[in-house]
Amino acid sequence: MCGIVGYVGEGDAGQILVKGLKRLEYRGYDSAGVALMNGEMLIQKGKGKVINLEKNLVASKITGKIGIGHTRWATHGEPNDINYHPHLSESGKIALVHNGIIENYTSLRKKLIERGRTFKSQTDTEIIAQLLEEIFTTSDISFEEALQLTLKQVVGTYGLAIVNIDEPERVYVARKGSPLLLGIGDGEMFIASDASPIVEYTNKVIYLDDGEMAIVTKDDYQVKTIEDVKLTKEIHELAMGIEEIEKAGYPHFMLKEIFEQPRSIADCLRGRLNTSDSTIQLGGLVNVMEELVSANRIVIAACGTSWHSGLVGEYLFEYLAKTPVEVEYASEFRYRDPLIGKGDVLLVISQSGETADTLAALREAKAKGATVLGICNVVGSTISRETDAGVFTHAGPEIGVASTKAFTAQVAVLTMMAIQLGQAKGHIDNARAAELINELDSIPKKVEHILNESDESIQEMAKLFTYAPNFLYLGRTYNFPVALEGALKLKEISYIHAEGYPAAEMKHGPIALIDDMMPVVVIAATDHTNDKMISNIEEVKARKGRIISIMNDGNSDVKDLSNFCVNIPSTIDCFTPLLTVIPLQLLSYYIAVNRGCNVDQPRNLAKSVTVE
Ligand code: F6R
């Protein structure tokens, strides 16, 4: 979703902001803009990609050493030059960029119009610039105080970066519900909505919390609450390196991230699986193990791909730890006054750690007394900081909008949690633990094998299905969520309509769709449902559907019925999602490339969904 960058220093702010905005492109956006201060307030905007803003900036020859920039994902007001950020106050002296949504903007706007202010845009954001200017110019207070009063009047969420031409050395920032961090350089300071634009300049960062603001100059910063309480914030060290947010020779981030999975899964397991004594050590859960062991149930809340990994988690926890699990869409959970409280564990799963609905679910369950745990990829993210405890996936930055390596890392964490809990509850003895842990340790190699062995054949197969209008994905047990994930991957990057179903449900409706034009992807990893799955494949075949099977080496029954097969190595049933999802990721990637789609930044999608 929208991204923010800011710079104060001696460098060329325009160039630094544009570079930073390019690093934020992965979040999804439809326009970009910057405000630079150089004796006057200079604004430049561009429709679509950041490159257009860059061209406009070069052509206009404007420069400055201090400025703010934004990538906008339209919410209020169509994407056009007037609605793109930055927005100006009426006098043009104040410029700001905003992530989030101001909910009471209609009533505030009406009041300001009644008092004589003229608005240019249809955005909720402009209200902040206008209200701030009105408060500042009609009372005898500092700009900082005027900002605090403004923020007390607006209802909603914001990450804000603001410049005022009368204070040409400063950038003001504020946060409520939309992430912001400060990067501390040597004689220069950076502001961003996530670490990717900052990482090449400094690894020292400060994460702002909700209700906080900061006044930033080139060699100083002051953080305080909106209520004016001064704060001393911890300086964190970023673990990510610049190479992790570059393509490293791959044509797309998505392909790079698919191929990174042997390493990202290994990174996720590293130091946590102990094969010598068959134990699992998840440092983040040490203090909540008692709550987990005695939990009445675990409720998992997440969105999108993370929700799919949660569904795999349900099978894992129930099978390995005998703990009842419910999996909820975070957006549904939060709005239905959920029955959750002391004795329950809410486990939220989020790659970004910033998804608005997931964060709200977390807060809801926490307020009701549940123990709240998280599985997150982004260290320092809001969700990771607000949970009682949790586990990082350590998959590295995921830039492609379609989630791939985050999914497998989430499933790897859920698998470790379920085994550890199963051991702690006495459901897994040492011999079984040794079997599970040794096999889990071998998964990265098996993922590598699949990538090496099937990449080319999937690329060829994708050519045959590039123009298929629909796809059906079928799976059972652990691989039902993988069917959902395969369908989601295909639809989000190739815009082909795809549905995932539990294979047995096919007879209850979707079978009506099957004819000789319908590709049906069957996840047929051999397990106790193999015979049932074979019957389902027969049913598809009888209706001339084109069958693509993801199956274990040597499963001749499935092979004989299928038009196309992708082999995966055998593993313990409950680990199969870590393998079966890989061919599905590759299939959707190659189909989307063949269709000429923008794989890394699919239309209408945002990487981090920070609005409800
Ligand atoms: C799909 C995808 C989304 C995210 C969802 C939740 O490929 O990436 O469905 O999984 O928006 O995001 P996080 O995991 O950041 O909470």
Side-chain angles (χ1 to χ4, degrees):
M1 269 194 173
C2 308
I4 289 178
V5 263
Y7 176 76
V8 199
E10 290 298 326
D12 180 339
Q15 268 185 28
I16 292 168
L17 294 179
V18 163
K19 201 167 182 192
L21 292 174
K22 285 185 180 166
R23 299 266 186 228
L24 291 173
E25 284 189 306
Y26 76 97
R27 292 170 69 99
Y29 69 107
D30 43 48
S31 64
V34 295
L36 300 172
M37 291 200 294
N38 191 356
E40 54 184 325
M41 188 69 79
L42 304 161
I43 304 285
Q44 197 57 248
K45 301 179 181 181
K47 184 182 162 82
K49 297 292 164 203
V50 177
I51 184 93
N52 298 329
L53 164 70
E54 189 174 21
K55 282 181 195 152
N56 296 345
L57 205 54
V58 171
S60 69
K61 297 197 171 66
I62 64 173
T63 60
K65 293 180 174 173
I66 172 164
I68 53 177
H70 192 254
T71 46
R72 175 177 187 251
W73 190 84
T75 55
H76 293 61
E78 62 181 77
N80 63 29
D81 206 52
I82 294 170
N83 290 330
Y84 304 155
H85 297 213
H87 287 281
L88 288 168
S89 61
E90 194 170 306
S91 71
K93 287 184 161 194
I94 301 169
L96 60 80
V97 294
H98 166 223
N99 288 355
I101 290 179
I102 303 304
E103 289 161 14
N104 61 341
Y105 89 101
T106 322
S107 61
L108 289 173
R109 184 180 160 113
K110 197 164 162 255
K111 283 184 204 150
L112 285 171
I113 290 173
E114 279 163 13
R115 297 202 287 264
R117 290 218 154 233
T118 343
F119 281 76
K120 289 205 174 84
S121 76
Q122 287 94 51
T123 65
D124 54 331
T125 299
E126 191 184 353
I127 185 72
I128 309 173
Q130 298 278 28
L131 182 61
L132 174 57
E133 181 165 88
E134 192 194 66
I135 294 176
F136 182 52
T137 53
T138 56
S139 32
D140 189 18
I141 53 175
S142 66
F143 189 73
E144 185 185 323
E145 288 165 316
L147 176 59
Q148 289 168 339
L149 289 177
T150 305
L151 297 180
K152 284 177 193 158
Q153 288 197 39
V154 297
V155 175
T157 53
Y158 50 79
L160 280 171
I162 307 167
V163 282
N164 170 13
I165 196 67
D166 291 333
E167 297 185 56
E169 320 255 283
R170 294 175 165 200
V171 177
Y172 289 83
V173 297
R175 169 195 164 138
K176 186 179 162 210
S178 195
L180 265 190
L181 47 94
L182 310 181
I184 307 169
D186 190 8
E188 54 185 359
M189 296 284 291
F190 304 85
I191 293 145
S193 46
D194 73 41
S196 46
I198 288 182
V199 66
E200 67 189 283
Y201 305 106
T202 177
N203 65 352
K204 289 200 195 74
V205 296
I206 288 175
Y207 298 102
L208 290 191
D209 284 305
D210 280 353
E212 292 178 359
M213 59 182 286
I215 301 116
V216 186
T217 59
K218 72 180 162 73
D219 28 40
D220 198 14
Y221 60 89
Q222 198 182 79
V223 183
K224 45 172 67 177
T225 66
I226 310 295
E227 274 71 37
D228 207 36
V229 179
K230 286 200 177 117
L231 301 168
T232 308
K233 299 284 289 183
E234 189 183 344
I235 299 177
H236 294 262
E237 215 161 278
L238 286 176
M240 71 162 101
I242 186 75
E243 65 293 343
E244 289 180 85
I245 55 170
E246 309 220 299
K247 283 190 200 149
Y250 284 90
H252 296 101
F253 281 110
M254 183 178 175
L255 191 63
K256 174 182 173 235
E257 286 158 8
I258 291 172
F259 273 85
E260 267 172 6
Q261 288 175 107
R263 202 198 68 206
S264 56
I265 300 172
D267 287 348
C268 177
L269 301 177
R270 182 167 306 113
R272 292 162 164 180
L273 286 190
N274 196 337
T275 46
S276 59
D277 66 359
S278 305
T279 55
I280 285 175
Q281 201 64 41
L282 292 167
L285 297 183
V286 172
N287 295 333
V288 289
M289 216 48 212
E290 262 175 44
E291 282 95 324
L292 262 173
V293 168
S294 61
N296 306 327
R297 61 184 179 141
I298 298 174
V299 179
I300 298 179
C303 306
T305 288
S306 298
W307 182 74
H308 295 157
S309 74
L311 288 176
V312 178
E314 177 176 20
Y315 287 92
L316 289 165
F317 280 117
E318 296 203 349
Y319 173 61
L320 294 167
K322 311 291 175 223
T323 301
V325 175
E326 284 161 41
V327 187
E328 304 263 5
Y329 285 114
S331 53
E332 289 299 311
F333 176 83
R334 62 172 297 196
Y335 280 121
R336 59 144 217 272
D337 195 14
L339 298 177
I340 190 161
K342 212 168 159 37
D344 293 324
V345 169
L346 179 84
L347 173 60
V348 289
I349 305 175
S350 175
Q351 187 285 128
S352 61
E354 303 294 350
T355 302
D357 284 316
T358 311
L359 183 57
L362 177 172
R363 289 176 178 161
E364 178 77 26
K366 207 171 183 177
K368 291 190 163 184
T371 301
V372 179
L373 309 182
I375 297 177
C376 279
N377 195 34
V378 178
V379 177
S381 58
T382 311
I383 290 176
S384 70
R385 286 183 294 133
E386 291 201 17
T387 41
D388 298 319
V391 183
F392 284 111
T393 45
H394 296 316
E398 190 178 66
I399 309 290
V401 164
S403 193
T404 52
K405 63 175 180 171
F407 174 81
T408 44
Q410 288 165 351
V411 173
V413 168
L414 287 160
T415 310
M416 288 189 283
M417 282 178 75
I419 297 173
Q420 192 180 16
L421 189 56
Q423 283 181 290
K425 289 175 76 176
H427 298 300
I428 297 176
D429 63 19
N430 284 351
R432 177 74 173 140
E435 188 192 355
L436 289 165
I437 290 169
N438 285 329
E439 179 60 22
L440 191 53
D441 197 38
S442 74
I443 290 291
K445 280 262 163 291
K446 293 186 177 180
V447 171
E448 192 170 7
H449 175 84
I450 297 170
L451 288 166
N452 291 341
E453 293 300 312
S454 55
D455 179 48
E456 251 175 58
S457 60
I458 293 175
Q459 211 166 327
E460 283 307 305
M461 186 184 9
K463 289 182 190 157
L464 304 172
F465 293 104
T466 297
Y467 297 103
N470 298 291
F471 261 77
L472 189 61
Y473 287 71
L474 302 176
R476 281 176 176 264
T477 68
Y478 302 99
N479 286 300
F480 154 54
V482 177
L484 296 180
E485 175 59 9
L488 177 67
K489 264 331 53 115
L490 185 70
K491 68 184 129 190
E492 67 184 331
I493 61 168
S494 73
Y495 318 138
I496 294 175
H497 171 246
E499 300 276 356
Y501 267 91
E505 277 295 304
M506 180 181 64
K507 285 198 281 293
H508 301 283
I511 199 164
L513 298 171
I514 297 174
D515 61 15
D516 59 354
M517 295 300 289
M518 177 66 106
V520 181
V521 179
V522 183
I523 305 148
T526 321
D527 62 12
H528 63 287
T529 63
N530 191 45
D531 290 347
K532 303 283 175 210
M533 203 60 176
I534 289 169
S535 307
N536 297 135
I537 302 175
E538 296 267 20
E539 288 154 8
V540 175
K541 197 171 177 68
R543 285 153 188 88
K544 300 194 168 48
R546 290 188 291 165
I547 299 158
I548 302 165
S549 293
I550 315 302
M551 50 161 253
N552 287 114
D553 290 339
N555 189 342
S556 55
D557 293 334
V558 171
K559 189 170 177 213
D560 292 347
L561 289 168
S562 307
N563 301 85
F564 303 90
C565 296
V566 182
N567 289 332
I568 55 154
S570 60
T571 185
I572 295 173
D573 290 356
C574 62
F575 299 164
T576 50
L578 290 164
L579 305 183
T580 52
V581 76
I582 308 291
L584 305 189
Q585 295 169 345
L586 286 171
L587 181 64
S588 48
Y589 171 78
Y590 286 118
I591 289 179
V593 170
N594 293 345
R595 288 166 70 95
C597 299
N598 186 343
V599 175
D600 283 335
Q601 292 156 35
R603 70 183 179 206
N604 305 337
L605 286 179
K607 182 70 184 160
S608 179
V609 184
T610 49
V611 295
E612 295 170 27

